[in-house]
Each structure stands twice: as C-alpha cells, then as structure tokens.
Amino acid sequence: MSQSTLRRAIGAVKDQTSIGLAKVGSSTSQGDLEVAIVKATRHNEYPAEEKHIREILSLTCYSRVFISACVNNLSKRLSKTSSWTVALKTLVLIQRLLSE
C-alpha cells in the first residue's frame, strides 16, 4: 500500500470518528452542525458538497448560539488538523460563510 493511499484511508477513518463523536457528544441541532462541518471539510481532495455548506448556512442564520458553535467547531477543526486539504476547505468554508 502506498503512503498516499494509507494517508487517505487514515483521513477517512478520522472523518468517520469525528462524525460519530459529534452525533453522540452534543445536542441534536448542534450535533447536526458539527457533522455538517466535518462533512464539508473532509480529508478527500474534492471540493465540499454544496448541500453541507447550505446546511451549515441554514443552521447558523437564525441563532447566535449556532454561530458561536460554528466558530468554535471551525477553529477547533483548523487548529487540530495537519492535513492541507482540511485546512484549505475550512478556510474556504469560513470565507463562504462570511460572504453569505
């Protein structure tokens, strides 16, 4: 197995673990927000799916609590990652949320 294949597999496992922890560890709506953030900033080298970005926008447009949770989750995701794809997708997501 090549190193890039192994790295992609580890990234997919990390994403699935983060999604599972988000579903178990927080309230329903905030868990949905965290899951959408993880799905929008996955380790794969493809652009984020529009449906995940729209879900984040719809959850954060009505409540300051969700905006705060979104900022916290994005900053935590950005500070913990060593993957350039996750960092880039997180920054693009932040820019998109600010522009919308």
Side-chain angles (χ1 to χ4, degrees):
M1 199 188 276
S2 70
Q3 187 174 3
S4 64
T5 306
L6 182 61
R7 197 172 283 170
R8 275 187 257 146
I10 290 172
V13 169
K14 285 181 180 180
D15 290 338
Q16 289 302 321
T17 303
S18 296
I19 290 170
L21 290 173
K23 287 181 180 179
V24 172
S26 56
S27 69
T28 307
S29 298
Q30 287 187 355
D32 292 342
L33 176 65
E34 192 170 349
V35 168
I37 289 171
V38 171
K39 286 183 177 181
T41 59
R42 289 181 189 228
H43 284 80
N44 61 14
E45 295 180 8
Y46 300 106
E49 292 183 31
E50 186 66 25
K51 67 180 181 180
H52 301 304
I53 295 171
R54 288 285 166 205
E55 183 177 2
I56 295 167
L57 284 169
S58 69
L59 287 171
T60 57
C61 71
Y62 295 113
S63 172
R64 286 182 174 250
V65 174
F66 286 116
I67 294 171
S68 175
C70 182
V71 169
N72 288 334
N73 286 329
L74 288 171
S75 66
K76 182 173 73 173
R77 184 100 170 131
L78 191 58
S79 68
K80 288 176 64 175
T81 191
S82 60
S83 170
W84 68 269
T85 55
V86 174
L88 182 63
K89 285 182 178 183
T90 303
L91 292 172
V92 168
L93 179 61
I94 291 170
Q95 188 273 333
R96 177 85 184 269
L97 292 172
L98 289 173
S99 69
E100 298 269 337

